[in-house]
Amino acid sequence: MKIIISPAKKMKENTDDFPADKLPQFWKESEKLCEEIRKLSFEEARTLWKCNEKLARLNFNRFAQMELKRAAAPALLAYEGLQYQHMAPVVFTREAAAYAESHLRILSGFYGVLRPFDRVTPYRLEMQAALQVGDKRNLYEFWGEKLYQAVLDEDRTIVNLASKEYSRAVEKYLQPEDRFITIVFGELQDGAVKQKGTFAKMARGEMVRYMAENQIGKLERLREFNVLGYGYAEEYSGEREWVFLRKAGTC
């Protein structure tokens, strides 16, 4: 079983909490993307990133100085944001960290697929960024089915905790024998399930932590997850989508 999650836009420059001892699987592809971005003018890069001038300048300089092989921060601790804050990997036990290394994969527009303790450097490149690389019109075409193949294991089960922007890079290539379960964290509004981005990000991080701390090996045990007021709602769930509902007003 593999768990897929999205990266975060904000990243830490460095961390010494856990060793980062591996290069990402697709670091050569990342080098190619880095070369393409270096060809852009500052204004072209800013348009690609769709961010303010300060952030664009920061990332323009990052790519100009980037040395992928010298990156030292482990991916799981390099990303910031609500999902990663609630995952709290810095307090993982050795057993939880080992579980994450075995089961958790971070999808990335720049790195493709990351294991938790792969060495990374701060960057900005969302999967939906309109970067053309050779005859590939965008990053979805650039990565093709590599990400799907990278997250597939022998039991062909994938727990999808990624946003649609990232999960579609895998979902497009699913085969009939694959079990791909998208987890939805929502609230009932007028009889319909509605997701709220902030709470969904928090819950995704909490679910990863729950799985790592409890060494979840059987998919069905995920239905026991009950954090932040969320609980499994069988009546709203289906074969490929498991819904967890949160009572309105729950903290």
Side-chain angles (χ1 to χ4, degrees):
M1 177 172 62
K2 288 291 186 290
I3 310 155
I4 59 173
I5 62 174
S6 304
K9 292 180 182 178
K10 189 176 180 182
M11 298 182 70
K12 298 176 184 176
E13 291 291 340
N14 206 348
T15 177
D16 298 320
D17 296 299
F18 284 102
D21 55 0
K22 300 175 184 175
L23 277 172
Q25 179 179 353
F26 299 118
W27 69 269
K28 290 185 179 179
E29 286 83 347
S30 301
E31 281 198 331
K32 188 171 184 179
L33 291 174
C34 183
E35 290 172 5
E36 291 298 321
I37 291 173
R38 283 174 174 164
K39 295 176 185 177
L40 303 177
S41 68
F42 173 73
E43 288 303 325
E44 289 171 332
R46 184 180 175 185
T47 299
L48 177 73
W49 295 322
K50 298 180 180 178
C51 62
N52 61 43
E53 184 171 353
K54 183 179 179 181
L55 280 175
R57 186 64 64 186
L58 171 65
N59 285 283
F60 192 76
N61 291 334
R62 280 174 170 172
F63 275 101
Q65 301 167 14
M66 192 173 285
E67 295 183 51
L68 293 176
K69 287 187 177 181
R70 295 185 64 182
L76 196 59
L77 276 74
Y79 292 107
E80 296 186 279
L82 283 173
Q83 178 180 221
Y84 291 85
Q85 290 171 22
H86 280 260
M87 197 187 310
V90 72
V91 296
F92 273 3
T93 62
R94 288 185 179 180
E95 292 77 14
Y99 178 95
E101 181 69 5
S102 177
H103 295 279
L104 184 64
R105 296 295 180 265
I106 304 167
L107 303 183
S108 163
F110 184 59
Y111 282 107
V113 173
L114 290 165
R115 294 161 296 196
F117 300 105
D118 284 349
R119 302 203 305 263
V120 299
T121 189
Y123 69 92
R124 186 182 183 95
L125 189 65
E126 296 176 53
M127 187 66 78
Q128 61 188 3
L131 179 66
Q132 184 170 342
V133 185
D135 63 348
K136 307 302 181 183
R137 296 172 296 175
N138 53 51
L139 292 175
Y140 293 107
E141 289 188 5
F142 174 80
W143 288 112
E145 66 175 308
K146 287 181 180 179
L147 310 194
Y148 163 72
Q149 294 293 345
V151 301
L152 202 63
D153 60 14
E154 62 278 359
D155 76 355
R156 308 185 75 94
T157 298
I158 300 171
V159 177
N160 175 28
L161 287 169
S163 65
K164 289 182 180 179
E165 174 188 352
Y166 288 91
S167 64
R168 64 178 283 203
V170 170
E171 201 165 1
K172 177 181 179 180
Y173 301 99
L174 292 173
Q175 300 300 307
E177 61 269 30
D178 298 332
R179 193 175 186 190
F180 187 84
I181 307 296
T182 296
I183 306 297
V184 175
F185 295 105
E187 296 179 10
L188 275 184
Q189 293 183 1
D190 300 323
V193 177
K194 301 291 185 181
Q195 285 201 89
K196 292 187 177 180
T198 297
F199 287 110
K201 289 175 183 177
M202 292 163 61
R204 287 168 183 160
E206 292 282 356
M207 180 168 276
V208 172
R209 183 154 62 92
Y210 169 82
M211 294 179 76
E213 289 179 347
N214 292 281
Q215 302 286 297
I216 299 298
K218 293 184 178 180
L219 188 62
E220 285 65 28
R221 284 194 61 196
L222 271 187
R223 294 173 177 151
E224 300 170 12
F225 177 81
N226 186 4
V227 180
L228 299 177
Y230 284 102
Y232 178 66
E234 184 174 4
E235 63 272 32
Y236 293 96
S237 299
E239 184 180 352
R240 287 184 170 267
E241 188 174 272
W242 288 10
V243 176
F244 290 77
L245 292 180
R246 172 180 172 273
K247 293 180 180 180
T250 306
C251 297

